[in-house]
């Protein structure tokens, strides 16, 4: 875990860690819905966004904006995706990118079936399903293993064969936090069909670990900066050389592998530069050597992952002040079957006395922001029902939080379960 002084410094770099915009004390444990923001990213965004110049024009300030974009793109490919030679596809939201990838890949890949998992976000699940119908392919879905709350590699691989055109497999679930065994899945899927196109939604995993699409042999990987300490209204994907030239929406005079469409927004790249630099500073541990900027970035993400996993353990097992979720009577931790090393800190809990929507409101009364993932929502019905649940309270802190925050959350949980007075 981060030592106290470092954690205090980290907290100082983020907006609204302890209070809401109206100054009320609160604990923000809904980072899977949109994370706490890095002050430097917000400030850099505002500085660049105030400049009216068109970065594609020739005047001096326009050139500076263009350079900002160039560096931001480079950081995304080199540090975030570890794919300096890959192609970047920027757009407004990860859902838009994913739907477009499903369309383009479906038009270009060969085979009579496509495979997705039951935990995919609706943007990939529905995109894969829709375009499977358009192209007359069988749509195969790998089921959830209720014991682990993930999707087993074997369940995915049993559906992949020589005729699988596309495999869509996310990096980590936005409901259970379960990390997929992509190493095994991608290697075996490509062995079954060397021409398979593999697409991966890394939106929820990106704030918790370093991404590595090329090492895994993935053709497209998406992420969303607003879940990764950054700004809403921007998303980006890595695309492999192999797939980058598939015909996609583009101005025809541009290069076949150019996926940018319309005026660039340099302010978003300015924010990315700050996020990458923040993570690299976390990775700059005295005494440890790093030969590349990516190494530093990956080490920074590794430290974030280690801290969050230690917090996850405290939330489940308890702190010195509070019993953990696993031992609070009337509270059930759902999707708790996998080893902690295979999970990001996103957990779902249920209360015996009240439903998830009511529980979320009770948390808010106590200054804790969490979110319900309910069977009533189109975004979560398929997933929570796969876990045999009607809905859970999703709890998703960030690495800026510490043991005191976990204790406060656990205390609120005991109050809501009716075990201690408010
Ligand atoms: C796993 C996952 N994929 C994709 C998305 C969609 O991201 P966006 O809001 O940028 O479309 C989300 C959003 O919550 C998500 O959790």
């Amino acid at each position: 875990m981060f030592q106290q002084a470092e954690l205090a410094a980290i907290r100082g770099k983020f907006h609204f860690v302890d209070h809401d915009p109206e100054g009320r004390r609160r604990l923000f444990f809904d980072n899977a819905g949109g994370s706490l923001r890095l002050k430097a990213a917000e400030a850099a965004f505002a500085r660049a966004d105030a400049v009216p110049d068109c970065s594609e024009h020739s005047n001096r300030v326009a050139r500076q904006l263009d350079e900002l974009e160039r560096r931001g793109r480079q950081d995304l490919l080199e540090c975030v995706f570890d794919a300096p030679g890959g192609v970047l596809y920027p757009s407004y939201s990860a859902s838009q990118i994913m739907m477009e990838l499903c369309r383009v890949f479906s038009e270009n890949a060969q085979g009579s079936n496509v495979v997705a998992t039951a935990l995919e976000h609706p943007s990939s699940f529905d995109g894969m399903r829709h375009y499977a119908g358009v192209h007359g392919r069988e749509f195969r879905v790998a089921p959830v293993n209720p014991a682990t709350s993930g999707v087993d590699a074997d369940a995915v691989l049993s559906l992949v064969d020589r005729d699988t055109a596309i495999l869509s497999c996310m990096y980590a679930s936005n409901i259970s936090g379960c990390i997929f065994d992509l190493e095994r899945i991608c290697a075996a899927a490509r062995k079954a069909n060397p021409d398979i196109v593999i697409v991966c939604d890394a939106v929820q995993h990106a704030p918790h670990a370093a991404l590595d699409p090329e090492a895994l042999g993935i053709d497209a990987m998406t992420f969303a900066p607003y879940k990764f300490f950054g700004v809403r209204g921007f998303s980006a994907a890595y695309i492999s050389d192999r797939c980058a030239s598939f015909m996609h929406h583009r101005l025809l005079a541009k290069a076949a592998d150019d996926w940018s469409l319309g005026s660039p927004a340099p302010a978003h790249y300015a924010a990315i530069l700050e996020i990458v630099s923040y993570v690299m500073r976390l990775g700059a541990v005295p005494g440890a050597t790093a030969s590349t900027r990516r190494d530093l970035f990956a080490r920074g993400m590794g430290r974030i992952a280690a801290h969050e996993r230690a917090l996850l353990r405290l939330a489940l097992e308890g702190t010195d002040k509070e019993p953990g979720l696993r031992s609070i009577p009337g509270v059930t931790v759902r999707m708790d079957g996998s080893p902690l090393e295979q999970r990001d800190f996103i957990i779902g809990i249920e209360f015996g006395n009240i439903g998830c929507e009511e529980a979320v409101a009770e948390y808010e009364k106590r200054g804790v922001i969490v979110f319900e993932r309910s069977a009533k929502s189109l975004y979560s019905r398929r997933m929570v029902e796969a876990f045999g649940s009607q809905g859970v309270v999703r709890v998703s802190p960030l690495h800026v939080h510490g043991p005191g925050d976990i204790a406060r959350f656990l205390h609120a949980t005991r109050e809501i379960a009716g075990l201690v007075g408010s």
Side-chain angles (χ1 to χ4, degrees):
M1 233 187 261
F2 296 126
Q3 296 299 306
Q4 230 174 345
E6 186 174 16
L7 187 59
I10 286 172
R11 290 165 81 90
K13 294 186 194 309
F14 284 78
H15 285 294
F16 302 124
V17 174
D18 296 312
H19 60 277
D20 72 8
E22 289 156 340
R24 292 197 198 90
R25 189 169 178 243
R26 81 167 182 181
L27 201 53
F28 190 74
F29 274 17
D30 185 21
N31 290 272
S35 85
L36 288 162
R37 293 185 182 188
L38 189 65
K39 289 175 183 170
E42 283 292 319
F45 179 88
R47 273 197 307 275
D49 203 44
V51 181
D53 302 55
C54 173
S55 60
E56 291 171 310
H57 291 185
S58 59
N59 59 300
R60 191 174 53 82
V61 173
R63 307 312 321 132
Q64 288 168 357
L65 291 180
D66 195 43
E67 174 62 7
L68 209 52
E69 174 173 352
R70 190 197 62 73
R71 288 176 45 227
R73 283 173 163 270
Q74 185 182 327
D75 269 12
L76 280 171
L77 284 172
E78 183 184 328
C79 298
V80 175
F81 288 121
D82 195 19
V87 168
L88 193 77
Y89 173 17
S91 191
Y92 175 67
S93 72
S95 300
Q96 282 182 322
I97 291 181
M98 184 54 84
M99 285 272 183
E100 178 63 357
L101 291 174
C102 289
R103 183 184 74 77
V104 171
F105 289 173
S106 296
E107 281 174 6
N108 288 277
Q110 303 296 319
S112 57
N113 70 77
V114 298
V115 176
T117 84
L119 290 186
E120 299 304 303
H121 186 268
S123 53
S124 52
F125 193 90
D126 293 0
M128 289 283 285
R129 184 174 169 171
H130 174 72
Y131 286 106
V134 169
H135 294 277
R137 293 188 172 114
E138 184 190 351
F139 179 58
R140 300 176 175 174
V141 181
V144 166
N145 176 350
T148 63
S149 66
V151 176
D152 294 344
D154 285 337
V156 179
L157 293 171
S158 69
L159 301 180
V160 174
D161 57 33
R162 184 69 188 88
D163 277 322
T164 303
I166 311 171
L167 165 64
S168 178
C169 190
M170 69 199 315
Y171 219 136
S173 162
N174 54 324
I175 310 272
S176 71
C178 220
I179 301 170
F180 284 66
D181 185 356
L182 285 183
E183 215 173 301
R184 196 167 149 233
I185 292 172
C186 296
R190 201 159 290 289
K191 203 167 163 200
N193 176 11
D195 298 324
I196 193 170
V197 174
I198 305 177
V199 54
C200 175
D201 170 344
V203 168
Q204 288 295 348
H205 194 51
H208 310 291
L211 308 178
D212 42 9
E214 283 194 341
L216 291 167
I218 285 172
D219 291 297
M221 183 177 275
T222 59
F223 100 106
Y226 78 90
K227 313 247 196 217
F228 191 0
F229 330 148
V231 183
R232 283 186 194 268
F234 180 63
S235 278
Y238 153 87
I239 303 188
S240 68
D241 280 347
R242 202 167 79 88
C243 297
S245 297
F246 286 168
M247 184 51 203
H248 55 278
H249 290 150
R250 72 180 168 84
L251 303 186
L252 296 175
K254 288 197 173 186
D257 65 353
D258 190 335
W259 285 69
S260 303
L261 198 55
S263 300
H268 283 292
Y269 294 98
I272 292 290
L273 286 167
E274 292 300 331
I275 292 166
V276 169
S277 137
Y278 164 73
V279 174
M280 279 170 52
R281 279 198 301 274
L282 282 181
V285 198
T289 50
S291 50
T292 63
R293 300 177 74 243
R294 161 69 186 194
D295 286 348
L296 267 184
F297 180 85
R299 183 165 331 112
M301 291 309 301
R303 294 191 69 213
I304 285 174
H307 180 80
E308 290 180 341
R309 210 148 278 139
L311 292 182
L312 173 58
R313 190 177 298 281
L314 287 181
L316 294 171
E317 303 288 349
T319 68
D320 51 358
K321 294 195 185 72
E322 292 287 335
L325 292 170
R326 283 175 176 161
S327 49
I328 299 178
V331 172
T332 306
V333 186
R334 281 284 187 170
M335 313 154 195
D336 194 20
S338 301
L340 298 196
E341 298 69 40
Q342 288 158 25
R343 289 163 65 176
D344 291 330
F345 194 163
I346 298 175
I347 46 176
I349 59 173
E350 282 174 11
F351 286 83
N353 51 345
I354 48 174
C356 60
E357 287 94 347
E358 208 186 325
V360 166
E362 288 300 319
Y363 274 113
E364 184 166 12
K365 284 184 201 159
R366 292 162 177 81
V368 179
I369 301 302
V370 286
F371 183 58
E372 72 273 8
R373 295 272 52 165
S374 156
K376 292 181 194 144
S377 159
L378 71 93
Y379 286 104
S380 38
R381 182 181 310 122
R382 170 171 32 85
M383 296 81 143
V384 292
E385 285 182 354
F387 296 121
S389 167
Q390 275 311 298
V392 294
V393 176
R394 181 178 67 182
V395 184
S396 56
L398 205 67
H399 68 280
V400 304
H401 293 115
D405 298 317
I406 300 295
R408 200 173 138 205
F409 162 75
L410 290 172
H411 190 80
T413 306
R414 279 206 297 146
E415 283 181 5
I416 296 167
L419 301 171
V420 282
S422 314

